[in-house]
Amino acid sequence: MLAQQLFNALVLGSVHALFALGFTLTFGVLRVINLLYGFYVAAGAFAALVAVQSLGLGLWAAGAFGVVVAGLVAVVCDFLVLTPLRRAKAPELSSLIVTLGGVLLMNSLMQIVFGAEVRRFPARLLGQDAVTIGPLVVAPIQLVIIATVFVLVALLFWFMERTRLGTAIRAVAERPDTAALMGVNVGLVVAGVSFLSAALSATAGILIGLNFNAVHPYMGEPMMLRGFAIIIIGGLGDIRGALVAGLALGFLEVMTAGYVSSNLKEAVAFTALILGLWLRPNGLFGRASGKRA
Amino acid sequence: MTALLSIQGLELAYGKIAAVKGIDLEVGEGQVVCLIGANGSGKTTTLRGISGLLKPRGGRVVFAGTDITGMAPHRIARLGLVQVPEGRQIFATMTVAENLRMGGYLVEDGERQRRLDEVLELFPRLAERKTQTAGLLSGGEQQMLAMGRAMIAGPRIVLLDEPSMGLSPIMVEQIFAIIELLKRQGKTILLVEQNAQLALDIADHAYVLETGRIRLSGPAAEVAGDAAVLHAYLGG
């Protein structure tokens, strides 16, 4: 029982962490609170669904398609909505309000186009039969989730820490003007980060859609609530903190649902947020030592 | 001989407030030129106008035969014009080595490593602290880092903004010894300084800025001899 709960927690926590990584990246580099970020969960999942149903693509191709579509939508949205705010050096609250409007608009558009009912990926996409491994009952999608998240997180860390472009992204996050003086095209980096973060959000959306076998226009909303809790607990802009806090929140949610009551699951994120702010107001790894994106 | 950097009638403003009101300035290849003046006279604004961080309202900036007026800063950097900004502006969350590599963002790997080794040789203090977080360095070390970071770019001209600001006298001496060394290596430098005496000692040519206009210019030794300068800017 406990082993199964821990395994489920790992699956859920991985998705939370993946989602939060993109969210914290957006905040850290673009210096905006982007509520549109939650929309890319549904955008990616629907794009992948369309790719499966209308284009007849397989799991991986459809996933890649969904991720790219959401990324491109994000580049356009950020350019139209956020770049003017950033240029005017508007306070963070304005980005919050503007993207709140943006996400309401986009969610409604999704509902008009796709309808509000819950849709499903066809069963043929994955072998749906769970297998028993020792004490664990494991669905194939759970293994896909863990493997995908593990590979993407490793790639993201390698990219941010070891590559020229990743270092440039961190430089832009800290001092955009100075980065420009070193020859970094700040506008291009900003667009790249918009794409990258939305791609992470969309990947999380596709994995959630597959895991719970449900895709609907508002599937990003509950993720945003968790996302806020995770990036605040992890430290705003801190990618390592988002990873740890995301996994921890998944663990807490599964344990609460399993041993206390599943009704309390939603309350976990906020209890953790309050405790986190109380005990470590600068984030898990503090402000000075954290690797901020 | 035409100048490496040539500025004609440059006008810069923050919103409606004019900060630089039409100045002419030239820096020849291999020259050290200083731009001195009191606080708020427009020195830093002038550098920001040259490097592209502030779009000029009027006038022309020509660098190495290219008109760079209003060009984006990253494109100007690509031409070999590098600014060491006021207040060092190091990347505090990165290590010393990462900061230096960022300076060589446009330089290919092998060459960048070679220049990195050169800079670490020039600044042993930075070599000792290579893997340290840059935000933990002292002010003087941060200034060294900012200068080293600029040198890795292999610039054709370096714009140095207030390198002595906020440093102890011993540290200032060390920083100026490095500028002296760069001068002997034939590097082209445009130096902005509040400490006029230090700047005039090291420069070939000097411009004195007063509330956005060039008040006086000429060979540094002559400008230093001008009693008005001594009185107004050196507190003599």
Side-chain angles (χ1 to χ4, degrees):
Chain A
M1 176 68 174
L2 180 65
Q4 184 69 47
Q5 297 283 22
L6 286 173
F7 179 74
N8 294 347
L10 179 63
V11 173
L12 192 66
S14 304
V15 178
H16 287 359
L18 189 67
F19 177 79
L21 282 177
F23 196 27
T24 211
L25 195 64
T26 326
F27 183 83
V29 179
L30 309 183
R31 296 274 153 215
V32 291
I33 301 170
N34 187 359
L35 294 181
L36 275 165
Y37 185 72
F39 164 70
Y40 305 131
V41 169
F46 269 103
L49 192 65
V50 168
V52 169
Q53 290 177 337
S54 307
L55 308 175
L57 295 183
L59 175 65
W60 297 103
F65 178 80
V67 166
V68 170
V69 167
L72 293 177
V73 170
V75 171
V76 174
C77 284
D78 284 13
F79 183 75
L80 291 179
V81 176
L82 296 177
T83 304
L85 287 178
R86 204 165 27 241
R87 207 161 275 160
K89 299 216 185 328
E92 278 150 10
L93 189 61
S94 1
S95 63
L96 185 74
I97 302 295
V98 169
T99 57
L100 176 63
V103 74
L104 291 175
L105 173 73
M106 296 306 262
N107 281 346
S108 307
L109 283 178
M110 289 283 279
Q111 199 177 331
I112 290 167
V113 175
F114 294 104
E117 70 273 20
V118 173
R119 303 214 189 184
R120 298 180 198 294
F121 282 100
R124 66 178 158 79
L125 219 49
L126 290 158
Q128 297 287 323
D129 292 335
V131 289
T132 308
I133 306 172
L136 300 177
V137 181
V138 176
I141 180 61
Q142 292 184 305
L143 294 178
V144 169
I145 287 173
I146 292 175
T148 306
V149 173
F150 181 82
V151 169
L152 287 182
V153 167
L155 276 176
L156 184 68
F157 272 77
W158 170 80
F159 174 71
M160 293 298 286
E161 297 294 323
R162 293 274 171 262
T163 68
R164 201 173 281 234
L165 201 54
T167 313
I169 289 174
R170 285 186 289 141
V172 169
E174 204 176 326
R175 299 183 181 282
D177 275 0
T178 308
L181 289 178
M182 337 239 96
V184 178
N185 185 340
V186 175
L188 208 59
V189 165
V190 164
V193 169
S194 295
F195 183 91
L196 183 63
S197 61
L200 292 170
S201 178
T203 307
I206 294 165
L207 294 176
I208 291 167
L210 287 166
N211 194 31
F212 298 106
N213 209 2
V215 174
H216 57 95
Y218 293 95
M219 61 192 288
E221 308 268 273
M223 286 308 285
M224 279 308 273
L225 299 178
R226 294 189 177 94
F228 267 113
I230 293 168
I231 72 167
I232 291 168
I233 294 169
L236 293 169
D238 186 338
I239 57 178
R240 208 172 33 150
L243 180 65
V244 173
L247 285 169
L249 185 63
F251 175 80
L252 286 175
E253 279 188 16
V254 167
M255 290 302 149
T256 307
Y259 293 102
V260 188
S261 156
S262 56
N263 291 330
L264 287 175
K265 213 176 80 175
E266 306 292 329
V268 168
F270 294 97
T271 313
L273 175 59
I274 291 164
L275 286 177
L277 281 175
W278 188 16
L279 299 173
R280 298 212 52 105
N282 287 333
L284 284 178
F285 298 102
R287 211 159 263 268
S289 65
K291 287 267 186 254
R292 290 162 65 83
Chain B
M1 189 199 85
T2 56
L4 180 61
L5 176 70
S6 161
I7 294 162
Q8 295 133 22
L10 184 67
E11 287 173 41
L12 296 155
Y14 294 103
K16 287 199 164 85
I17 302 153
V20 171
K21 303 158 187 166
I23 64 169
D24 300 325
L25 187 150
E26 285 202 339
V27 185
E29 189 103 50
Q31 255 191 337
V32 175
V33 171
C34 73
L35 183 60
I36 55 180
N39 241 341
S41 57
K43 308 184 298 289
T44 293
T45 308
T46 303
L47 291 195
R48 288 171 62 84
I50 297 170
S51 62
L53 288 179
L54 192 63
K55 300 266 173 277
R57 168 171 292 189
R60 244 158 62 93
V61 183
V62 179
F63 174 62
T66 310
D67 189 334
I68 61 169
T69 321
M71 207 185 257
H74 69 269
R75 292 184 55 211
I76 294 176
R78 254 161 231 190
L79 298 173
L81 186 147
V82 172
Q83 182 181 358
V84 180
E86 186 183 16
R88 0 266 186 231
Q89 311 288 342
I90 56 144
F91 301 113
T93 59
M94 296 190 192
T95 66
V96 168
E98 280 179 320
N99 265 276
L100 292 171
R101 276 192 221 105
M102 258 321 285
Y105 179 71
L106 300 172
V107 184
E108 57 89 19
D109 283 337
E111 179 65 16
R112 182 164 74 165
Q113 190 57 45
R114 204 183 57 73
R115 288 184 195 164
L116 186 86
D117 293 339
E118 250 175 46
V119 165
L120 291 179
E121 209 169 300
L122 185 64
F123 300 100
R125 294 275 283 271
L126 295 184
E128 286 164 28
R129 288 161 173 71
K130 219 170 97 175
T131 55
Q132 255 185 38
T133 306
L136 302 175
L137 298 179
S138 74
E141 289 163 350
Q142 291 191 5
Q143 185 62 46
M144 289 177 183
L145 181 56
M147 289 169 70
R149 193 173 58 176
M151 285 158 63
I152 287 180
R156 292 190 66 183
I157 187 169
V158 185
L159 315 184
L160 276 176
D161 196 352
E162 302 270 15
S164 78
M165 194 172 72
L167 300 185
S168 69
I170 296 168
M171 214 59 237
V172 171
E173 215 169 278
Q174 286 192 26
I175 294 294
F176 270 79
I178 291 157
I179 300 173
E180 185 70 49
L181 181 72
L182 295 177
K183 181 184 173 173
R184 267 185 275 127
Q185 290 175 353
K187 299 270 196 299
T188 308
I189 297 171
L190 175 57
L191 170 68
V192 154
E193 254 299 335
Q194 216 177 320
N195 189 329
Q197 188 65 66
L198 271 174
L200 289 169
D201 282 349
I202 209 165
D204 303 306
H205 204 88
Y207 292 83
V208 179
L209 206 54
E210 192 181 44
T211 56
R213 290 197 175 82
I214 300 285
R215 163 93 185 281
L216 190 67
S217 69
E222 277 176 33
V223 171
D226 189 303
V229 172
L230 284 175
H231 185 71
Y233 305 106
L234 310 182

